[in-house]
Amino acid sequence: MLKPWTRRAGGLLALLLAGLAPLAQAEDLLSQISRKLAANSVLHADFAQSRQMAALKKPLQLSGRMVLSRENGVIWSIVKPYQLGYVMTPKGVSELLSDGSRRERASRDIPGIGSVEGLFRGLLAGDRNLLQQHFAVEAKGSPAAWTLLLKPKPGPLQKGLGAVELSGAAQLERVSLTEPGGDSTQIRFSRIDAQSPLSAEESRLLGGR
């Protein structure tokens, strides 16, 4: 017959294991999501972006086309309500001008995503190491319908970013950014193409400054 303290110890161990099970499941889900997104060396997608700012009565609505190269960077092309493009690479950020030239820009100049420009490529590509370096990450759902909740760790990032929520299925479909002051940005991706390689022009834009 088990002694009382032995039964209590066994009960505590069972509770501990029960509590660890959801953590293990969430960690496994995060691994599956990261592998799924990291498999995309090149990604093309349309985006619809809505930015809510305290200074504006109505959200700022933008739409356009995004090109992601995991190795080289991101081309962020706004088509409506105006035409403007940005290239984000490890070397920095530049604005694409109508004559084909470029102008160096600060990351804060990119509407809605400027606060996380340095992380945006990693967010889109599901770079797990980068995410866990800068955020406390919580994974929910299943590989078929998942959500990642990202809370910035203490540091400079907290000054410009309150929280990030990523969700999707086969691919990343939605990004939600909340800033400490209450401003927020919602980005939805559609017509996602993970098969087509970079075009010659896209390679040129991402290949040099």
Side-chain angles (χ1 to χ4, degrees):
M1 182 175 180
L2 294 175
K3 296 181 180 180
W5 67 268
T6 305
R7 290 196 297 270
R8 289 196 295 270
L12 290 173
L13 179 60
L15 289 173
L16 177 61
L17 292 176
L20 290 176
L23 296 178
Q25 292 172 0
E27 187 69 16
D28 181 62
L29 176 60
L30 176 58
S31 296
Q32 293 184 60
I33 296 168
S34 299
R35 287 195 299 268
K36 184 181 298 187
L37 297 181
N40 300 321
S41 58
V42 175
L43 198 67
H44 296 78
D46 290 345
F47 68 84
Q49 179 176 332
S50 177
R51 178 155 171 76
Q52 182 69 62
M53 304 175 66
L56 300 177
K57 293 182 178 180
K58 295 182 178 181
L60 175 63
Q61 306 286 348
L62 303 175
S63 62
R65 187 72 174 164
M66 180 272 295
V67 180
L68 164 70
S69 168
R70 193 175 63 220
E71 294 185 0
N72 301 311
V74 176
I75 302 172
W76 193 256
S77 302
I78 300 171
V79 177
K80 294 180 180 180
Y82 53 82
Q83 294 188 356
L84 189 61
Y86 296 95
V87 177
M88 296 173 272
T89 73
K91 297 180 180 179
V93 179
S94 60
E95 179 183 338
L96 301 176
L97 304 178
S98 57
D99 62 1
S101 62
R102 299 190 188 195
R103 178 170 56 189
E104 304 303 312
R105 297 303 296 262
S107 60
R108 63 177 178 272
D109 295 327
I110 307 176
I113 60 174
S115 61
V116 292
E117 178 276 323
L119 297 171
F120 198 60
R121 296 185 302 276
L123 294 175
L124 292 173
D127 186 333
R128 179 177 178 178
N129 291 333
L130 182 145
L131 294 182
Q132 293 185 315
Q133 177 183 351
H134 294 281
F135 298 94
V137 183
E138 180 182 359
K140 294 184 176 181
S142 69
W146 51 265
T147 298
L148 295 182
L149 304 176
L150 312 179
K151 184 177 180 180
K153 292 181 177 180
L157 190 61
Q158 282 186 325
K159 297 179 180 180
L161 187 63
V164 181
E165 181 177 309
L166 312 176
S167 60
Q171 302 291 345
L172 174 64
E173 298 174 356
R174 187 173 69 87
V175 177
S176 175
L177 308 172
T178 303
E179 300 173 24
D183 294 348
S184 63
T185 300
Q186 308 288 330
I187 304 172
R188 292 186 178 275
F189 296 106
S190 60
R191 294 180 60 208
I192 301 171
D193 175 10
Q195 304 300 320
S196 300
L198 292 174
S199 67
E201 175 63 10
E202 291 164 353
S203 295
R204 184 187 71 81
L205 290 174
L206 291 169
R209 298 290 294 244

